[in-house]
Amino acid sequence: MLKPRDVINEFSKALVEGRGAVFVGAGLSTPSGVPGWMDLLQGMAETRLGIQLNPDADLPLTAQHLANSTNNRASLVAHFREALQKTYAHNVYHAMLARTNVKCLWTTNYDTLLEKAFRAYFNVTVRDSDESISRGGRVPDIEVIKMHGCIEQSGSNDLVVTQEDYDDFFENRPATAHRLRQDLIDRQFLFLGYSYADSNIRNIVVEARRLGKQTLRQHYIVLRRARGATQEESVAMQARQDLWLRDLSRVGISACQIDAFSELESILQEISLRSRGQTVFVTGSHTRHV
C-alpha cells in the first residue's frame, strides 16, 4: 500500500514531464452537495420498484430496472437532469486540481463543476461524446473528457446511465474507448473520488484488464478507508475494499488509503506546488542610467 508521500512524489514527477492525467469520480463533487447515484435512484427505486437500496446495490442495474419499468429511459434521464442542473459551486478539491499542472482530465461525472473550476484560469475544451473526441482539433489548455456524458451538453441517448449503456459502452463509443486505451498506456493517472462500491470505475478497470498484456504505466488511486455505522460493518467493508484494491493492483492501479478527506486536500495542495517543476524567484532591484 502506498503512502501519501509516494503518490505526491511520483505523480508530481509525471505532471512535470507532461504525462500525468487525473480521473475524477463522484466523490469529488459530493462536498458541493451534488447527489450521488444512490441519492438519485433511491426515491424512484422505492416508488416504482418497491425496493430499498443499500451501499452494495448494483446501481446501473437498478437504473436499468427503472428504465424497463416504463419501457423507456426518458423519465429517468429527466430526473437526473432536474437534480444535477441545479446551481452547485465547485469545492476545494476542484480548486486544488485547477492549480496543478494537469492538461488532461477524465471523469465519469455528469456535472460541470470540474470544467468550471478550470475555466477561472484556462481555456477548457469538454469532450462528452464520441463525435467530439473523433473531431479532435487544436489541443486546448485543458481537456476534460466526460466518458459518460455531460448533463448540460449531452443528448439523452449519450448519457451512460443504465446497465445496457455500460454493457454496450465500448461498442457504442469506439472513439472514446480507443482514446481511453491510448491514455492508459501513455499517461499516468491519479484516480480521485472513487470507492470500492462505485460502479462507475468498472469500465476503466475492464479496459485496463484488456490492456494487461501491453505495457501500462503505473496509476494511482487515493481513497478513504471504508467505514460502516458499527465496528462490525467497518471490518466487513474494509475487507471488501482490500479485496478490490488487490484486484486494482493486478491492472496497474496502486492504492493510497487515507482516514479523512482533509488528507486529500493536503495531498493535492503539495502536488499543485510541485507539479510545475523547479521555480526560480528573482528579487532585488536594478537601476538604469540614461
Side-chain angles (χ1 to χ4, degrees), residues 7-8 36 43 46 64 71 76 94 96 98 103 117 142 153 155 160 183-184 190 222 240-241 255 257 268 285-287:
V7 175
I8 292 168
E46 290 178 4
Q64 185 66 56
N71 293 319
L76 180 63
H94 298 114
M96 285 293 178
K103 306 300 183 186
I142 303 295
Q153 294 184 187
V160 177
D183 279 9
L184 283 170
L190 175 62
V222 177
R240 286 194 292 269
Q241 186 182 64
Q257 290 180 298
L268 291 179
S285 61
H286 175 70
T287 302

Short mmCIF file of all heavy atoms in Angstrom, two decimals, residues 7-8 36 43 46 64 71 76 94 96 98 103 117 142 153 155 160 183-184 190 222 240-241 255 257 268 285-287:
data_model
loop_
_atom_site.label_atom_id
_atom_site.label_comp_id
_atom_site.label_asym_id
_atom_site.label_seq_id
_atom_site.Cartn_x
_atom_site.Cartn_y
_atom_site.Cartn_z
N VAL A 7 2.69 8.94 -3.52
CA VAL A 7 1.82 9.47 -4.58
C VAL A 7 2.25 10.88 -4.97
O VAL A 7 2.32 11.22 -6.15
CB VAL A 7 0.35 9.46 -4.12
CG1 VAL A 7 -0.54 10.11 -5.17
CG2 VAL A 7 -0.12 8.03 -3.85
N ILE A 8 2.53 11.70 -3.97
CA ILE A 8 2.95 13.08 -4.23
C ILE A 8 4.20 13.11 -5.09
O ILE A 8 4.29 13.81 -6.11
CB ILE A 8 3.17 13.84 -2.92
CG1 ILE A 8 1.84 14.05 -2.19
CG2 ILE A 8 3.86 15.19 -3.17
CD1 ILE A 8 1.99 14.53 -0.76
N GLY A 36 -25.18 11.84 -5.32
CA GLY A 36 -24.56 10.69 -5.94
C GLY A 36 -25.60 9.76 -6.53
O GLY A 36 -26.82 10.01 -6.45
N GLY A 43 -35.24 7.32 -4.29
CA GLY A 43 -36.67 7.62 -4.29
C GLY A 43 -37.42 6.89 -5.39
O GLY A 43 -38.49 6.31 -5.16
N GLU A 46 -37.79 3.15 -4.67
CA GLU A 46 -38.83 2.85 -3.67
C GLU A 46 -40.22 2.93 -4.27
O GLU A 46 -41.05 2.04 -4.06
CB GLU A 46 -38.70 3.83 -2.49
CG GLU A 46 -37.46 3.62 -1.64
CD GLU A 46 -37.36 4.64 -0.52
OE1 GLU A 46 -38.29 5.47 -0.37
OE2 GLU A 46 -36.35 4.64 0.20
N GLN A 64 -31.36 0.30 -14.83
CA GLN A 64 -31.93 -0.49 -15.93
C GLN A 64 -33.34 -0.96 -15.58
O GLN A 64 -34.25 -0.90 -16.41
CB GLN A 64 -31.04 -1.69 -16.22
CG GLN A 64 -31.47 -2.51 -17.42
CD GLN A 64 -31.33 -1.73 -18.72
OE1 GLN A 64 -30.24 -1.26 -19.03
NE2 GLN A 64 -32.42 -1.57 -19.45
N ASN A 71 -40.54 1.07 -20.00
CA ASN A 71 -40.17 0.73 -21.38
C ASN A 71 -39.41 1.84 -22.09
O ASN A 71 -39.32 1.86 -23.32
CB ASN A 71 -41.42 0.35 -22.20
CG ASN A 71 -42.03 -0.93 -21.72
OD1 ASN A 71 -41.33 -1.89 -21.39
ND2 ASN A 71 -43.36 -0.96 -21.65
N LEU A 76 -36.24 8.68 -16.48
CA LEU A 76 -35.04 8.51 -15.66
C LEU A 76 -34.02 9.60 -15.95
O LEU A 76 -33.49 10.24 -15.03
CB LEU A 76 -34.42 7.13 -15.93
CG LEU A 76 -33.16 6.77 -15.16
CD1 LEU A 76 -33.44 6.71 -13.66
CD2 LEU A 76 -32.59 5.44 -15.67
N HIS A 94 -11.81 20.62 -6.39
CA HIS A 94 -11.78 21.12 -7.77
C HIS A 94 -10.78 22.27 -7.90
O HIS A 94 -10.02 22.34 -8.87
CB HIS A 94 -13.17 21.62 -8.19
CG HIS A 94 -14.23 20.56 -8.19
ND1 HIS A 94 -15.29 20.59 -7.32
CD2 HIS A 94 -14.40 19.45 -8.95
CE1 HIS A 94 -16.07 19.55 -7.55
NE2 HIS A 94 -15.54 18.84 -8.52
N MET A 96 -8.13 22.94 -6.05
CA MET A 96 -6.76 22.45 -5.95
C MET A 96 -6.31 21.83 -7.27
O MET A 96 -5.18 22.04 -7.72
CB MET A 96 -6.64 21.43 -4.82
CG MET A 96 -6.66 22.03 -3.44
SD MET A 96 -5.18 23.01 -3.12
CE MET A 96 -5.56 23.60 -1.47
N ALA A 98 -7.32 22.61 -10.18
CA ALA A 98 -7.15 23.68 -11.17
C ALA A 98 -5.82 24.40 -11.02
O ALA A 98 -5.41 25.13 -11.92
CB ALA A 98 -8.31 24.68 -11.06
N LYS A 103 -3.07 18.73 -17.76
CA LYS A 103 -3.66 19.19 -19.01
C LYS A 103 -4.84 18.33 -19.46
O LYS A 103 -5.66 18.77 -20.27
CB LYS A 103 -2.59 19.18 -20.13
CG LYS A 103 -1.34 19.97 -19.81
CD LYS A 103 -1.63 21.43 -19.55
CE LYS A 103 -0.35 22.20 -19.29
NZ LYS A 103 -0.65 23.61 -18.89
N ALA A 117 -14.25 25.02 -12.60
CA ALA A 117 -13.10 25.38 -11.77
C ALA A 117 -11.91 25.75 -12.64
O ALA A 117 -11.20 26.73 -12.36
CB ALA A 117 -12.75 24.23 -10.84
N ILE A 142 -6.67 23.02 -21.41
CA ILE A 142 -7.16 21.93 -20.57
C ILE A 142 -8.20 21.14 -21.36
O ILE A 142 -9.10 21.71 -21.98
CB ILE A 142 -7.81 22.45 -19.27
CG1 ILE A 142 -6.82 23.31 -18.48
CG2 ILE A 142 -8.32 21.29 -18.42
CD1 ILE A 142 -5.61 22.58 -17.97
N GLN A 153 -24.59 19.25 -21.83
CA GLN A 153 -24.30 19.22 -23.27
C GLN A 153 -24.82 17.99 -23.99
O GLN A 153 -25.14 18.06 -25.19
CB GLN A 153 -22.78 19.31 -23.49
CG GLN A 153 -22.16 20.62 -23.07
CD GLN A 153 -20.68 20.69 -23.41
OE1 GLN A 153 -19.97 21.61 -23.03
NE2 GLN A 153 -20.18 19.71 -24.15
N GLY A 155 -27.00 14.71 -25.31
CA GLY A 155 -28.36 14.28 -25.53
C GLY A 155 -28.71 13.12 -24.61
O GLY A 155 -27.82 12.48 -24.03
N VAL A 160 -24.47 7.79 -20.23
CA VAL A 160 -24.33 6.40 -19.79
C VAL A 160 -25.00 6.28 -18.43
O VAL A 160 -24.49 6.79 -17.43
CB VAL A 160 -22.84 5.99 -19.71
CG1 VAL A 160 -22.70 4.57 -19.19
CG2 VAL A 160 -22.20 6.13 -21.09
N ASP A 183 -4.60 6.45 -23.62
CA ASP A 183 -4.20 7.24 -22.45
C ASP A 183 -3.76 6.34 -21.29
O ASP A 183 -2.86 6.70 -20.53
CB ASP A 183 -5.34 8.16 -22.00
CG ASP A 183 -5.42 9.43 -22.84
OD1 ASP A 183 -4.70 9.50 -23.86
OD2 ASP A 183 -6.19 10.33 -22.47
N LEU A 184 -4.38 5.17 -21.14
CA LEU A 184 -3.95 4.24 -20.09
C LEU A 184 -2.53 3.75 -20.35
O LEU A 184 -1.81 3.41 -19.41
CB LEU A 184 -4.91 3.06 -20.01
CG LEU A 184 -6.25 3.31 -19.31
CD1 LEU A 184 -7.20 2.14 -19.53
CD2 LEU A 184 -6.06 3.56 -17.82
N LEU A 190 -4.04 9.61 -11.87
CA LEU A 190 -4.38 9.69 -10.45
C LEU A 190 -5.90 9.65 -10.38
O LEU A 190 -6.58 10.54 -10.89
CB LEU A 190 -3.86 10.99 -9.83
CG LEU A 190 -4.25 11.25 -8.38
CD1 LEU A 190 -3.69 10.17 -7.46
CD2 LEU A 190 -3.78 12.64 -7.92
N VAL A 222 -6.29 7.40 -4.74
CA VAL A 222 -6.33 7.85 -3.35
C VAL A 222 -7.78 7.77 -2.89
O VAL A 222 -8.68 8.33 -3.54
CB VAL A 222 -5.81 9.30 -3.19
CG1 VAL A 222 -5.94 9.75 -1.74
CG2 VAL A 222 -4.37 9.40 -3.66
N ARG A 240 -13.86 -5.98 2.10
CA ARG A 240 -14.26 -5.90 0.69
C ARG A 240 -13.40 -4.89 -0.06
O ARG A 240 -13.01 -5.12 -1.21
CB ARG A 240 -15.74 -5.54 0.58
CG ARG A 240 -16.68 -6.68 0.95
CD ARG A 240 -18.10 -6.40 0.52
NE ARG A 240 -18.69 -5.31 1.28
CZ ARG A 240 -19.37 -5.47 2.41
NH1 ARG A 240 -19.55 -6.69 2.91
NH2 ARG A 240 -19.89 -4.43 3.03
N GLN A 241 -13.12 -3.76 0.60
CA GLN A 241 -12.28 -2.75 -0.03
C GLN A 241 -10.87 -3.29 -0.29
O GLN A 241 -10.30 -3.06 -1.36
CB GLN A 241 -12.20 -1.50 0.84
CG GLN A 241 -11.46 -0.34 0.18
CD GLN A 241 -11.36 0.87 1.07
OE1 GLN A 241 -10.72 0.83 2.12
NE2 GLN A 241 -12.02 1.96 0.69
N ALA A 255 -2.86 1.72 -4.69
CA ALA A 255 -3.74 2.48 -3.80
C ALA A 255 -2.99 3.17 -2.67
O ALA A 255 -2.00 2.65 -2.14
CB ALA A 255 -4.81 1.57 -3.22
N GLN A 257 -4.47 4.75 0.87
CA GLN A 257 -5.65 4.93 1.70
C GLN A 257 -5.43 6.06 2.71
O GLN A 257 -4.35 6.18 3.29
CB GLN A 257 -6.00 3.63 2.43
CG GLN A 257 -6.52 2.54 1.52
CD GLN A 257 -6.85 1.27 2.28
OE1 GLN A 257 -5.99 0.65 2.89
NE2 GLN A 257 -8.11 0.88 2.26
N LEU A 268 -3.29 17.12 -2.57
CA LEU A 268 -3.47 17.90 -3.79
C LEU A 268 -2.75 19.24 -3.71
O LEU A 268 -2.22 19.74 -4.71
CB LEU A 268 -4.96 18.13 -4.05
CG LEU A 268 -5.77 16.89 -4.45
CD1 LEU A 268 -7.24 17.25 -4.65
CD2 LEU A 268 -5.21 16.25 -5.71
N SER A 285 16.69 44.77 -7.17
CA SER A 285 16.33 45.93 -7.99
C SER A 285 17.43 46.24 -8.98
O SER A 285 18.56 45.79 -8.85
CB SER A 285 16.08 47.15 -7.09
OG SER A 285 17.27 47.48 -6.38
N HIS A 286 17.07 47.01 -9.97
CA HIS A 286 18.04 47.40 -10.99
C HIS A 286 17.80 48.85 -11.35
O HIS A 286 16.65 49.29 -11.55
CB HIS A 286 17.89 46.52 -12.24
CG HIS A 286 18.78 46.94 -13.37
ND1 HIS A 286 20.14 46.79 -13.35
CD2 HIS A 286 18.48 47.56 -14.55
CE1 HIS A 286 20.66 47.27 -14.47
NE2 HIS A 286 19.66 47.73 -15.22
N THR A 287 18.86 49.58 -11.42
CA THR A 287 18.74 50.99 -11.79
C THR A 287 19.32 51.23 -13.15
O THR A 287 20.45 50.81 -13.42
CB THR A 287 19.46 51.90 -10.77
OG1 THR A 287 18.92 51.68 -9.48
CG2 THR A 287 19.32 53.35 -11.15
#
